[in-house]
Amino acid sequence: MKNPIRMTLVAHALALAFGGALLSGGITAPAYAQSNATGIIFGQIANHNGTSVVLENIATGARRTVHPDANGRYQATSMQPGSYKVMLMRNGEIERTLEVEALIGQGVEASFDAVQAVTVSSRRRTIDVSNTNNGAVFTARELEALPVAQSISGIIQLAPATTRGSPRIGGDSFGGAGVSENSYYINGFPVTNVYKQIGSTTLPFFAIAQAQILQGGYSAEFGRSTGGVVNITTKSGTNRWEAGAVLQYTPNKLRAKPEDTYYPQTGANPATDGKLLTYRGANSANDVFGSAYVGGPLIKDKLFVFANVEQDRFNTAYISKDSDSTNKTNGWTERESRTPRYLVKLDYNINDDHRLEFTQIHDETKKTQQNYGFSYTDLQRTNVRADGVTGDGAITNDSILKYTGFLTDRLTVTALAGRFKSTYPQSTEGYVPGIFQVSAPARAQVPGLIYSNPQTIGGTMQVANAEDKQSTLRLDVEYKLGDHGLRAGIDHNNVSSINGSSLAGGGSWIYSRSANPNATVPGGRSPASGGGYGTQGYYVDEYHQSDAASPKTDQSAQYVQDRWQVTDRILLDLGLRNEQFTNKNSFGVAYAEQRHMLAPRVGAAWDARGDSSLKLFANAGRYHLQIPTSVALRLAGNPVHIDHYFTYTGVDAKTGAPTGLTEISPPFSAGNEYGQAKDPHQVAASNLGATYQDELALGFEAALTPAYTVGAKFTYRTLRNTIEDWCDQRPVDAWAKRNKVDASRYNMPCLLINPGQGNTLELDLGANGKLVTVPLSAEDIGLPKVQRIYTALDIFAEHPLRNGWYGKINYTLSRSRGNMEGQVASDIGQADIAATTAFDYPELMDGANGLLPNNHTHVLKAYGYYQLTPEWRVGTNINIATGAPKSCIGNLPKALNVNNNPAGWYGAATFYCDEKLAPRGSAGTLPTDMRLALNATYMPAWFKGLTLKADVFNLLNRQTVLATQPVYNSGADTINPYYNQVLGRAPERQVRFSAEYNHKF
């Protein structure tokens, strides 16, 4: 029977900053199976006989009725985040009412004691004793009040234990992990970039309702991450129509000038040391952003819609060529970037027990540009138009359908189906195939010769039909059984990509000079032996590169979880996750497969005082990580990476191509990548295990007073296993010799293995199509075990929104140390996931153990806002992080580079400099990055609904160096003139003006 007191409430603007609605202390959360995609409302009723609890969403009128158990405890799981009216019903009448806010992935208590009351909106700050996760939740209200970059990364950087990734590859690091090790979800659907796992689909910023940032300790329902989880819920329509628009402008006139880049002082390159490399003083940028939204009931109390459309238009003009570039006819670039996005969310309350949600997201990036000439003589652009890339971008569409069914008070079922597709259109202007690119740094040029670069397209061009796709199915079941909250689920992702690239023009002439003309080039002879200018150390590399594949990946997982309320004060969270990863080549044949990846998770929370004012918690768990589709480009496709070295006697002034060539090496590929298709059975160890990490965390949170909360957490993470490519044929040859197997015709490409472990290979050693099982022990292979250990102490103090102000300060003392950053090598700008230079040869791992690129010993974050008057509010956001370690990466020492040592083919790729071991992180530390942002907001009483705001980012204009060039050598016995060159800085000071109008009908 419908409750006779049912009524519809208008949209409710009041939101509590960080949840927590507790009327009386001493009440403990019941056991429940908590989902990180929704919220929980729970409580206890002092006199529960004949009672029920009705929870009504204040914005939509959606209702749910639950009943207390024999002990007077009740729970409501899978509640959409938002504000709720919690009504205690007795004999069909409202006896008492509370108002609470449900936050994503958290529990909020609404308990009824014996004190008589009618309606209470509780504001007392308490600790969420029902949760063992390590994370933070940010609401739309907080994001609006704080001066933050309007991006998912901007939100991530508010959370503790997160740092920015190197500007060389981008992304965000959680707990010392690599930037490709995170999972991203929108409304429960995985939106992580499937190609390289760096970043995700981006949705309109003003469509974000809540964002949960988890640094670890998350339950068994989440996986495919050894870094962190970003979990976003979007806004929905309510029973009250509202519409609004936002206009923002970041003018160039208030943007500080970016700093110029100079050649570093190497002491070995007097022709360039200290001279101007890249002029940036003429650069300019203007940013205009617009957003509009509307939401309301299509059918009151039943069907709701919310839609948000936005576009950012960023116009910039900049010097795009260095002073030593061989072609400055396109050295000035004027670019316009547009990012049109939209979101449509439909919510259908079929009845009180069944709900459907549909979300459609469109995320697009468009770039167009014109190139002109630039003269470093007078530091002026010319008006001569040059050819070049005129347009590129990406288009992503996500479709998400979710069902939630409250089948009984005890049983809840959720099901999700979704898919996304990304395409990458690219257009060019003036591109002429067959015209090689030319790279000729100043020190590599023979005096008197003219080096030109007529190819206007630099780097690589992607395949024409590039795309990524993913389809997802997921089912979760929750059941309450006494003191146990049981949850189980399965999910499956089908992923496919069509991707790849090749050098524009078909190849590249790379000019070099060796300080020692008698030093050999990889796979060949010395420049001096070739005559011509080679006697002076000058030589050229004819380089060819292409990669293309259409790989697929299947990802499946099953989990069970039990949240067991052992006593009134102690909660145990016990979970077990089982994952399967299968990577397939372009023909659908598996080349890497991991099964039965068991990941136990254990968490505990102790309500020490029994009144939710002091929580002690701990969690331990194992977390697995898959490899993305990009791995197949080189390891399961038919890649071409060929160097061909020559000396020369001249240069064609028109094309930049060398003349008078004398070969000093045959066509040579360090990874045996000559374009032949790779047998999927031979590119990975048959016993390949997945990457996984173990984690332990201990901490506490305490509500000192209703106005102040403090806490601390210790975290220990250790990477136990990884997948990397390995290119060393010497152990295979040694095995063949021991076992009297003829391997003289075998040329080994790079293979996927588990470094530091025993690996069993299936190889065609006889080049006759017959595979031979080659079991190699860890000692045979000679690689060290992977090591990445992250330890951290996080301390925070928080003032919840009270008396008009909110503030929080986080301090993290941490260390990330080991011999591998993760799936990427950001210090050398290598985002070849699971295929970096690490572990290719044992010599490359000498000295590799040290402070890792994501190590930032001290990180201080402080943010908050203060409502000065009903019309004025000010906010701040401070982020201070000590710099990352610097390394010196040079040539293999002559003492080791004998007998054609393949590790020497890589050139500057070892932790040796000047013939001496230079352990990772021993070359110093980058400077401390200090960024201060402030804002002021005016909400005039005379114009209801209007908000005017100004944000200032990097107020002190500290354009801190964030990355430098670690490569020490640029040839045999030659110090790289770019060693220690600045490769990335913090953005210059910017001012953003905003105007928003919101109208509620």
Side-chain angles (χ1 to χ4, degrees):
M1 186 194 320
K2 293 289 184 183
N3 194 307
I5 54 85
R6 178 168 182 151
M7 59 183 175
T8 300
L9 299 178
V10 297
H12 190 66
L14 176 64
L16 303 179
F18 273 85
L22 178 66
L23 182 61
S24 60
I27 305 300
T28 305
Y32 52 82
Q34 177 173 313
S35 167
N36 278 307
T38 54
I40 303 292
I41 300 175
F42 63 89
Q44 187 158 345
I45 304 170
N47 181 13
H48 64 276
N49 292 330
T51 64
S52 62
V53 176
V54 175
L55 303 101
E56 184 173 277
N57 188 300
I58 294 176
T60 68
R63 284 192 166 197
R64 183 178 175 190
T65 301
V66 295
H67 298 86
D69 62 17
N71 296 315
R73 298 183 300 191
Y74 77 91
Q75 61 164 330
T77 64
S78 297
M79 302 297 292
Q80 282 189 302
S83 296
Y84 284 84
K85 185 176 182 180
V86 184
M87 295 171 281
L88 175 63
M89 309 299 298
R90 194 185 302 271
N91 299 322
E93 300 292 335
I94 299 177
E95 182 173 290
R96 298 176 58 199
T97 301
L98 299 175
E99 287 183 12
V100 300
E101 184 181 18
L103 296 181
I104 180 173
Q106 295 191 4
V108 59
E109 185 172 349
S111 294
F112 299 90
D113 63 6
V115 178
Q116 294 299 313
V118 178
T119 300
V120 177
S121 179
S122 177
R123 296 174 180 268
R124 178 180 173 184
R125 171 63 175 169
T126 59
I127 304 300
D128 180 12
V129 297
S130 66
N131 204 317
T132 64
N133 287 334
N134 304 331
V137 176
F138 301 94
T139 65
R141 176 180 180 176
E142 293 157 350
L143 297 177
E144 178 186 4
L146 297 172
V148 296
Q150 289 178 180
S151 64
I152 294 176
S153 180
I155 302 173
I156 292 171
Q157 290 307 315
L158 293 172
T162 62
T163 57
R164 298 178 179 90
S166 168
R168 302 193 69 179
I169 61 175
D172 298 278
S173 172
F174 287 69
V179 296
S180 68
E181 301 177 41
N182 308 320
S183 290
Y184 299 79
Y185 295 83
I186 296 177
N187 290 341
F189 177 68
V191 294
T192 311
N193 177 287
V194 299
Y195 181 59
K196 286 199 172 182
Q197 295 175 182
I198 301 176
S200 68
T201 297
T202 300
L203 74 167
F205 189 80
F206 289 93
I208 297 174
Q210 296 183 9
Q212 181 187 39
I213 311 298
L214 296 171
Q215 300 89 34
Y218 37 89
S219 60
E221 76 167 296
F222 279 154
R224 305 185 185 106
S225 166
T226 48
V229 170
V230 178
N231 194 24
I232 291 173
T233 59
T234 63
K235 294 178 180 177
S236 296
T238 71
N239 265 327
R240 185 175 184 180
W241 282 101
E242 68 173 309
V246 182
L247 180 63
Q248 297 178 341
Y249 179 46
T250 306
N252 181 67
K253 288 187 177 181
L254 296 180
R255 185 187 299 262
K257 290 296 181 183
E259 297 182 9
D260 299 332
T261 301
Y262 292 84
Y263 279 98
Q265 293 284 359
T266 66
N269 298 278
T272 56
D273 279 3
K275 295 185 178 180
L276 178 66
L277 177 60
T278 308
Y279 176 60
R280 304 177 71 211
N283 293 3
S284 65
N286 286 283
D287 194 5
V288 178
F289 171 88
S291 178
Y293 56 88
V294 63
L298 298 176
I299 303 175
K300 191 175 182 181
D301 292 341
K302 283 286 187 182
L303 182 61
F304 307 89
V305 64
F306 176 83
N308 186 190
V309 60
E310 73 173 30
Q311 176 165 283
D312 183 71
R313 179 169 293 185
F314 184 62
N315 288 282
T316 181
Y318 58 96
I319 292 92
S320 52
K321 291 297 178 70
D322 295 336
S323 61
D324 63 359
S325 172
T326 56
N327 182 3
K328 301 183 188 66
T329 60
N330 57 352
W332 176 268
T333 296
E334 295 181 354
R335 169 175 285 195
E336 179 180 89
S337 299
R338 288 177 292 157
T339 55
R341 300 187 178 104
Y342 69 77
L343 174 141
V344 176
K345 175 83 185 300
L346 293 171
D347 293 84
Y348 180 35
N349 297 329
I350 302 172
N351 55 40
D352 288 352
D353 298 323
H354 301 277
R355 183 176 71 239
L356 280 177
E357 304 169 51
F358 176 76
T359 309
Q360 181 69 41
I361 302 171
H362 178 84
D363 176 20
E364 186 171 350
T365 300
K366 300 178 181 179
K367 297 177 182 178
T368 57
Q369 70 182 46
Q370 295 81 42
N371 296 324
Y372 300 88
F374 184 82
S375 171
Y376 268 89
T377 302
D378 56 6
L379 300 179
Q380 295 293 321
R381 58 160 288 181
T382 71
N383 291 318
V384 179
R385 173 79 182 272
D387 294 331
V389 175
T390 59
D392 56 16
I395 302 173
T396 299
N397 287 286
D398 298 73
S399 302
I400 311 164
L401 180 65
K402 183 180 179 181
Y403 162 78
T404 303
F406 306 114
L407 304 187
T408 70
D409 278 4
R410 296 177 178 271
L411 180 62
T412 300
V413 174
T414 59
L416 181 145
R419 62 179 302 174
F420 81 70
K421 180 179 179 179
S422 294
T423 57
Y424 308 95
Q426 183 181 51
S427 61
T428 61
E429 179 183 316
Y431 172 60
V432 180
I435 302 297
F436 275 29
Q437 302 173 52
V438 175
S439 172
R443 73 170 314 279
Q445 298 182 20
V446 176
L449 297 184
I450 298 175
Y451 295 78
S452 62
N453 181 22
Q455 178 55 264
T456 58
I457 308 298
T460 60
M461 298 176 61
Q462 69 182 18
V463 296
N465 56 340
E467 68 175 23
D468 296 314
K469 295 191 296 185
Q470 175 178 284
S471 60
T472 296
L473 293 174
R474 181 181 184 107
L475 177 67
D476 297 271
V477 178
E478 304 171 9
Y479 187 71
K480 174 72 165 58
L481 182 63
D483 292 328
H484 298 268
L486 305 176
R487 184 175 173 87
I490 58 174
D491 72 357
H492 184 78
N493 296 332
N494 280 328
V495 178
S496 64
S497 294
I498 300 175
N499 223 310
S501 63
S502 60
L503 284 174
S508 180
W509 294 111
I510 303 174
Y511 289 91
S512 300
R513 185 192 181 195
S514 174
N516 179 4
N518 294 309
T520 60
V521 299
R525 312 189 312 273
S526 68
S529 69
Y533 290 115
T535 58
Q536 302 174 46
Y538 295 97
Y539 63 99
V540 65
D541 176 14
E542 181 186 9
Y543 181 59
H544 293 269
Q545 173 188 332
S546 66
D547 304 282
S550 52
K552 300 174 178 62
T553 301
D554 293 333
Q555 304 165 356
S556 299
Q558 309 82 39
Y559 76 91
V560 292
Q561 182 179 324
D562 178 11
R563 286 188 175 245
W564 177 21
Q565 195 71 52
V566 182
T567 71
D568 286 345
R569 298 186 181 184
I570 297 176
L571 171 69
L572 287 182
D573 186 356
L574 310 174
L576 180 65
R577 183 178 178 88
N578 181 33
E579 294 184 279
Q580 303 86 41
F581 307 130
T582 302
N583 288 75
K584 303 175 182 178
N585 66 9
S586 300
F587 305 100
V589 180
Y591 66 88
E593 189 172 15
Q594 296 88 47
R595 316 295 293 177
H596 310 301
M597 301 292 107
L598 296 177
R601 313 273 175 87
V602 179
W606 178 33
D607 182 5
R609 296 172 180 157
D611 62 355
S612 301
S613 66
L614 174 62
K615 178 177 78 170
L616 281 73
F617 64 91
N619 50 65
R622 175 162 292 179
Y623 303 86
H624 290 93
L625 183 68
Q626 71 283 359
I627 53 177
T629 55
S630 63
V631 175
L633 279 181
R634 295 186 66 173
L635 295 177
N638 54 341
V640 173
H641 290 260
I642 300 175
D643 297 277
H644 197 183
Y645 295 97
F646 302 85
T647 59
Y648 59 98
T649 60
V651 174
D652 186 308
K654 183 178 180 180
T655 65
T659 59
L661 295 176
T662 298
E663 184 182 74
I664 57 174
S665 83
F668 173 75
S669 175
N672 192 30
E673 296 171 317
Y674 295 96
Q676 74 279 18
K678 296 187 178 182
D679 181 352
H681 301 97
Q682 298 188 65
V683 298
S686 60
N687 60 338
L688 189 71
T691 297
Y692 71 90
Q693 177 173 269
D694 288 338
E695 177 184 298
L696 172 67
L698 305 168
F700 78 91
E701 294 181 26
L704 301 182
T705 69
Y708 290 98
T709 302
V710 298
K713 181 186 67 172
F714 170 78
T715 302
Y716 175 84
R717 287 177 153 190
T718 179
L719 187 64
R720 299 289 190 187
N721 191 44
T722 193
I723 295 174
E724 257 293 335
D725 67 329
W726 170 66
C727 312
D728 192 1
Q729 186 172 331
R730 293 170 295 182
V732 175
D733 290 339
W735 180 91
K737 184 177 180 180
R738 289 194 307 270
N739 291 274
K740 298 180 173 53
V741 176
D742 181 12
S744 59
R745 300 176 59 191
Y746 179 68
N747 290 309
M748 190 181 91
C750 296
L751 312 173
L752 290 177
I753 67 166
N754 297 132
Q757 308 286 340
N759 289 267
T760 300
L761 311 176
E762 302 292 332
L763 305 176
D764 184 8
L765 295 182
N768 56 10
K770 296 180 180 179
L771 298 183
V772 177
T773 300
V774 181
L776 297 176
S777 67
E779 292 73 20
D780 291 336
I781 296 173
L783 292 173
K785 289 185 177 181
V786 64
Q787 185 179 53
R788 186 182 73 194
I789 298 176
Y790 173 80
T791 54
L793 176 64
D794 293 297
I795 303 172
F796 80 88
E798 181 180 13
H799 182 285
L801 183 58
R802 193 180 182 92
N803 299 324
W805 73 280
Y806 166 78
K808 188 170 186 178
I809 183 169
N810 290 294
Y811 168 70
T812 301
L813 172 66
S814 67
R815 168 170 286 200
S816 183
R817 186 178 183 88
N819 57 18
M820 184 184 190
E821 176 185 357
Q823 294 180 322
V824 299
S826 63
D827 52 353
I828 59 174
Q830 193 172 20
D832 298 326
I833 308 300
T836 68
T837 58
F839 296 105
D840 283 9
Y841 298 96
E843 293 87 346
L844 301 183
M845 301 306 295
D846 292 347
N849 205 302
L851 293 178
L852 294 168
N854 290 317
N855 181 79
H856 298 272
T857 305
H858 304 281
V859 177
L860 179 68
K861 300 179 180 183
Y863 50 86
Y865 54 92
Y866 182 47
Q867 195 75 42
L868 297 172
T869 71
E871 292 184 297
W872 286 95
R873 182 182 66 220
V874 293
T876 187
N877 181 11
I878 301 171
N879 191 316
I880 303 173
T882 54
K886 297 169 62 178
S887 296
C888 184
I889 299 175
N891 293 335
L892 189 68
K894 294 183 178 65
L896 298 177
N897 197 9
V898 295
N899 299 322
N900 200 24
N901 190 324
W905 301 342
Y906 282 40
T910 73
F911 291 97
Y912 287 95
C913 288
D914 287 330
E915 303 290 310
K916 300 176 182 177
L917 192 66
R920 183 195 293 272
S922 62
T925 304
L926 291 168
T928 297
D929 183 17
M930 179 185 297
R931 305 192 199 184
L932 170 62
L934 299 174
N935 71 9
T937 304
Y938 176 49
M939 297 161 284
W942 51 271
F943 199 139
K944 188 176 181 180
L946 178 65
T947 300
L948 303 175
K949 182 167 62 172
D951 299 90
V952 183
F953 300 99
N954 197 359
L955 177 68
L956 304 179
N957 195 31
R958 293 173 62 103
Q959 298 180 40
T960 308
V961 175
L962 302 179
T964 57
Q965 177 60 263
V967 177
Y968 184 72
N969 297 113
S970 59
D973 302 317
T974 304
I975 297 177
N976 183 7
Y978 303 103
Y979 173 61
N980 260 336
Q981 174 198 334
V982 174
L983 296 177
R985 294 182 183 273
E988 61 272 15
R989 181 177 58 242
Q990 303 169 42
V991 180
R992 183 179 71 197
F993 298 102
S994 304
E996 178 178 4
Y997 177 69
N998 174 275
H999 181 74
K1000 293 182 173 61
F1001 296 89

